[in-house]
């Protein structure tokens, strides 16, 4: 099975953003409903990237708890490099993420058009999937 971009969010803008990011990165999108489903996909090694709605600390704690219980926060199957946390708040307002051993990337949900933003972000996701460092040509659109 191909590894997917896993999205844990019930927010339509997040799904539009993630769908475009997955398309640009060249990986399928898998939308899940619970943190346990994300953890199961990580255990099965089906996650190329994980996008998680972290608008509140409670949402984040549920996710972290599921990862701890089913995978292990320090498991070799968990990489901060493929974790992307989404919130409508600025980074200072979600400082609970900084304390997490799985904090990797932060996406502030302030985009005007989620599809345009998702396409741009997809280049970054694609770069994180590479086995070696990537240059600007890898993450920027042509021209």
């Amino acid at each position: 099975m191909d590894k997917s971009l896993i999205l844990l969010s019930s927010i339509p803008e997040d799904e539009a953003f993630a769908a475009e990011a997955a398309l640009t990165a060249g990986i399928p999108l898998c939308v899940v409903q619970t943190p346990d489903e994300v953890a199961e996909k990580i255990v099965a090694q089906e996650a190329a990237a994980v996008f998680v709605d972290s608008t509140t600390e409670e949402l984040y704690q549920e996710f972290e708890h599921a990862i701890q219980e089913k995978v292990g926060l320090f498991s070799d199957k968990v990489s901060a490099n493929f974790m992307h946390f989404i919130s409508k708040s600025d980074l200072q307002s979600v400082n609970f993420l900084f304390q997490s051993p799985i904090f990797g990337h932060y996406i502030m949900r302030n985009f005007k058009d989620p599809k345009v933003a998702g396409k741009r972000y997809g280049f970054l996701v694609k770069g994180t999937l590479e086995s070696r460092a990537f240059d600007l040509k890898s993450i920027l659109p042509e021209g």
Side-chain angles (χ1 to χ4, degrees):
M1 172 178 242
D2 288 339
K3 291 188 176 192
S4 302
L5 188 157
I6 311 298
L7 172 66
L8 175 60
S9 177
S10 60
I11 298 171
E13 292 85 1
D14 289 353
E15 187 167 348
F17 176 84
E20 202 61 39
L23 182 66
T24 301
I27 55 177
L29 174 66
C30 176
V31 180
V32 297
Q33 304 302 312
T34 69
D36 285 340
E37 289 177 89
V38 177
E40 290 163 8
K41 296 212 174 279
I42 291 172
V43 167
Q45 297 185 358
E46 297 174 8
V50 177
F51 286 16
V52 179
D53 176 12
S54 301
T55 302
T56 67
E57 188 169 0
E58 291 76 24
L59 284 171
Y60 173 75
Q61 290 297 330
E62 286 178 35
F63 173 72
E64 185 179 278
H65 180 75
I67 298 299
Q68 174 63 32
E69 292 298 311
K70 295 191 178 279
V71 188
L73 292 176
F74 301 103
S75 166
D76 62 350
K77 293 183 180 183
V78 175
S79 169
N81 193 44
F82 71 65
M83 296 289 185
H84 304 258
F85 298 97
I86 308 171
S87 178
K88 64 182 178 184
S89 303
D90 61 36
L91 196 52
Q92 292 80 17
S93 300
V94 291
N95 59 5
F96 54 87
L97 291 174
F98 298 137
Q99 300 166 8
S100 171
I102 58 174
F103 177 68
H105 305 277
Y106 182 72
I107 303 166
M108 186 172 174
R109 192 185 300 113
N110 67 345
F111 29 80
K112 291 178 183 164
D113 183 335
K115 288 186 175 189
V116 170
K119 182 173 184 169
R120 289 183 184 146
Y121 198 79
F123 290 108
L124 176 66
V125 172
K126 184 176 182 179
T128 65
L129 302 175
E130 301 295 324
S131 59
R132 50 190 293 239
F134 53 92
D135 58 17
L136 289 177
K137 288 192 292 187
S138 302
I139 62 171
L140 297 175
E142 294 217 14

